[in-house]
Amino acid sequence: MNYKKLAAAALEAKKLSYSPYSNFCVGAALLTKGGKIFTGCNIESAAYSPTNCAERTALFKAVSEGEREFTAIAVAGAPKNGEPQYCYPCGVCRQMLGEFFDADCEVIVVKTEDDFKVHSFGEILPYGFGASNLM
């Protein structure tokens, strides 16, 4: 997998963030098993609860276009005009990714195109609750 390409896509998506309240910009790039990349950014609302994270924006775009199988997601986030930092998906995003991700799917947290960490999804969401728990 070309981590730099996925990291670059997440960093570009971060530029589109609409985050006037938190001033924390996040971009995500989701890779399908077929090699297509879907991007998303966080989109805030003054009411906060309708706010949507970058990871879910990318996931919802992909699923709404018929994609159901993924191999990786890259996430880049930092305060506006702040230093780059490793930004992990929030709990809600981890739960939604768990709906479609296997434990071995990769989560890439990005500071820059050349500075990122790679984790398995199972590492960042151990003991997740999923469809198998409902049977």
Side-chain angles (χ1 to χ4, degrees):
M1 171 187 309
N2 187 338
Y3 294 120
K4 283 182 82 165
K5 181 178 179 182
L6 207 56
L11 289 164
E12 281 299 308
K14 185 176 85 162
K15 293 176 184 176
L16 300 174
S17 170
Y18 177 75
S19 49
Y21 308 107
S22 72
N23 291 312
F24 195 87
C25 304
V26 182
L30 179 64
L31 181 64
T32 70
K33 282 192 178 177
K36 191 170 181 182
I37 295 174
F38 287 86
T39 60
C41 64
N42 58 322
I43 304 166
E44 294 182 348
S45 166
Y48 279 105
S49 63
T51 293
N52 202 50
C53 298
E55 301 91 327
R56 284 182 287 135
T57 299
L59 181 66
F60 295 162
K61 285 169 61 176
V63 171
S64 72
E65 292 188 26
E67 297 290 344
R68 301 290 189 273
E69 297 181 331
F70 305 97
T71 60
I73 189 166
V75 182
K80 283 182 185 169
N81 305 317
E83 290 294 315
Q85 59 184 262
Y86 298 119
C87 179
Y88 288 82
C90 73
V92 173
C93 288
R94 292 177 199 210
Q95 183 64 40
M96 279 307 304
L97 291 170
E99 193 70 23
F100 299 95
F101 273 33
D102 296 326
D104 61 344
C105 285
E106 293 178 311
V107 178
I108 302 104
V109 290
V110 179
K111 276 190 181 180
T112 69
E113 270 185 62
D114 298 308
D115 186 358
F116 51 82
K117 295 180 181 183
V118 181
H119 301 277
S120 72
F121 185 67
E123 285 179 277
I124 71 158
L125 186 63
Y127 314 110
F129 183 88
S132 64
N133 297 103
L134 300 174
M135 311 220 173

